[in-house]
Amino acid sequence: MISRFERFSFAISGIYRSIQKIERDEMERYGLKGGYAQYLVAMARHPQGLTSTQLCEICDLDKAAVSRSIGEMEERGLLERLAVNNAYRAKLRLTEKGLAAADYVSRRAQQAVSVAGSGLSEEDREVMYRALESIAAHLQVISKEGIPE
């Protein structure tokens, strides 16, 4: 008999691997790594610009990973720095090319989620998201404070 832990962790791991593959496949057209999809979508939601620190917080990634990604996206003309005085305080904004890429990624993600969730009612979907958000919040606490005795 498969335990609840195994069932949950196998399902989440499988979902995560599938998402990573889909992101890699979709970002290939821009010559970027799959994880950059998250940056593009996050930045598109903030047309006034974001600092790299803010992007780290939104995407829940470390500064080194975000810094490398920003450099590469800047080289490819997907984003621009609005101020250059301090690399971490400079606002970053998507260029027209970046906005087009973000729009593409967002549309493809919506399509993937629609197909993946086909067969679920809106009520089922709402319950699922509420449950996942609750589990994620609890796991974050546990990961910081440890498993309660």
Side-chain angles (χ1 to χ4, degrees), residues 38-59 66 70 79-83 86-94:
Q38 292 179 24
Y39 301 134
L40 290 170
V41 172
M43 291 185 71
R45 284 195 323 265
H46 299 276
Q48 76 283 4
L50 290 170
T51 64
S52 61
T53 302
Q54 291 170 317
L55 193 57
C56 289
E57 291 168 6
I58 290 169
C59 296
V66 171
I70 287 169
L79 63 84
E80 61 187 353
R81 291 181 193 271
L82 300 178
N86 180 316
Y88 287 106
R89 290 190 180 150
K91 288 265 187 163
L92 305 163
R93 183 176 58 196
L94 292 177

Side-chain angles (χ1 to χ4, degrees), residues 110-145:
Q110 288 173 10
Q111 188 176 359
V113 169
S114 177
V115 172
S118 63
L120 292 177
S121 68
E122 282 305 313
E123 183 180 327
D124 289 343
R125 191 170 287 126
E126 186 56 38
V127 168
M128 176 193 67
Y129 286 128
R130 258 197 333 267
L132 284 173
E133 288 164 355
S134 175
I135 290 167
H138 286 89
L139 287 173
Q140 282 180 333
V141 170
I142 291 168
S143 72
K144 289 178 183 167
E145 299 174 5

Side-chain angles (χ1 to χ4, degrees), residues 87-105:
Y88 287 106
R89 290 190 180 150
K91 288 265 187 163
L92 305 163
R93 183 176 58 196
L94 292 177
T95 62
E96 288 300 316
K97 185 177 177 182
L99 287 169
D103 181 61
Y104 170 80
V105 167

Side-chain angles (χ1 to χ4, degrees), residues 3-94:
S3 72
R4 263 183 28 191
F5 170 76
E6 288 173 310
R7 187 174 179 194
F8 175 78
S9 62
F10 291 165
I12 295 298
S13 293
I15 289 168
Y16 184 64
R17 279 192 309 276
S18 296
I19 288 170
Q20 287 181 313
K21 171 137 180 21
I22 292 166
E23 286 177 340
R24 272 193 314 272
D25 292 349
E26 294 301 321
M27 292 307 295
E28 193 174 285
R29 79 179 333 189
Y30 294 99
L32 295 172
K33 296 175 183 147
Y36 291 21
Q38 292 179 24
Y39 301 134
L40 290 170
V41 172
M43 291 185 71
R45 284 195 323 265
H46 299 276
Q48 76 283 4
L50 290 170
T51 64
S52 61
T53 302
Q54 291 170 317
L55 193 57
C56 289
E57 291 168 6
I58 290 169
C59 296
D60 196 23
L61 293 167
D62 64 78
K63 286 184 179 181
V66 171
S67 184
R68 284 189 301 273
S69 303
I70 287 169
E72 195 168 335
M73 289 192 299
E74 201 171 17
E75 283 176 22
R76 297 192 189 281
L78 297 170
L79 63 84
E80 61 187 353
R81 291 181 193 271
L82 300 178
V84 188
N85 57 345
N86 180 316
Y88 287 106
R89 290 190 180 150
K91 288 265 187 163
L92 305 163
R93 183 176 58 196
L94 292 177

